[in-house]
Amino acid sequence: MEQTYIMIKPDGVQRGLVGQIIQRFETKGFFLRGMKMMSVEKAHAEKHYADLSSKPFFGDLVDYMCSGPVVCMVWEGKEVVKTGRKIIGATNPLYVQEPRADASCSVPPLSRSRSAANMLFRSRAATRR
């Protein structure tokens, strides 16, 4: 069984989409193994997104992540990473192949340097159990 980390970012929480997002993963047969709502400290956001620190949008991203609560979840199931990618969509909402018109991004944009703010984060790799 694989496990993966999924985080609903501040905009998704503020828009009241937590239940809908959880339902999508449960409908696919995945199991919610852990969940926590928290406020992100600036230092934590900077560490979490350290690989993006050289990007022009880094400061805006950190500010966005600290702008409201997030919901952190661990999901488990067969091919949860692969299916999770399909549920969440592309990192850059401009490149989503299947329009979802729901939780893929928020408008207005996060900043002038980005077209939209992603509402969900997923880990890049699985943890095997």
Side-chain angles (χ1 to χ4, degrees), residues 70-90:
V70 299
V71 174
C72 307
M73 301 174 289
V74 174
W75 286 94
E76 183 178 84
K78 184 178 179 183
E79 297 188 351
V80 68
V81 173
K82 179 180 174 182
T83 307
R85 286 184 186 124
K86 291 178 182 176
I87 292 170
I88 291 171

Side-chain angles (χ1 to χ4, degrees), residues 82-125:
K82 179 180 174 182
T83 307
R85 286 184 186 124
K86 291 178 182 176
I87 292 170
I88 291 171
T91 299
N92 185 337
L94 294 177
Y95 301 114
V96 172
Q97 292 179 352
E98 295 180 32
R100 295 193 349 242
D102 53 8
S104 60
C105 66
S106 66
V107 178
L110 178 60
S111 72
R112 280 182 250 164
S113 64
R114 295 190 59 186
S115 59
N118 299 3
M119 278 195 295
L120 297 165
F121 170 88
R122 64 172 167 73
S123 61
R124 292 188 183 119

Side-chain angles (χ1 to χ4, degrees), residues 1 10 14 21 24-25 30 52 56 77 80-81 89 98 100 117 120-121:
M1 287 292 209
Q14 291 166 2
I21 293 165
R24 287 177 185 210
F25 280 85
F30 299 124
L52 301 174
V80 68
V81 173
E98 295 180 32
R100 295 193 349 242
L120 297 165
F121 170 88

Side-chain angles (χ1 to χ4, degrees), residues 25-77:
F25 280 85
E26 288 180 333
T27 299
K28 293 290 186 183
F30 299 124
F31 301 98
L32 182 60
R33 295 299 187 206
M35 181 170 73
K36 179 180 181 179
M37 179 182 273
M38 63 179 283
S39 295
V40 179
E41 301 279 333
K42 184 175 182 175
H44 186 85
E46 289 172 341
K47 182 178 179 184
H48 184 79
Y49 289 105
D51 60 323
L52 301 174
S53 62
S54 64
K55 302 290 185 183
F57 57 81
F58 180 72
D60 291 332
L61 175 60
V62 169
D63 290 344
Y64 168 62
M65 292 305 300
C66 298
S67 69
V70 299
V71 174
C72 307
M73 301 174 289
V74 174
W75 286 94
E76 183 178 84

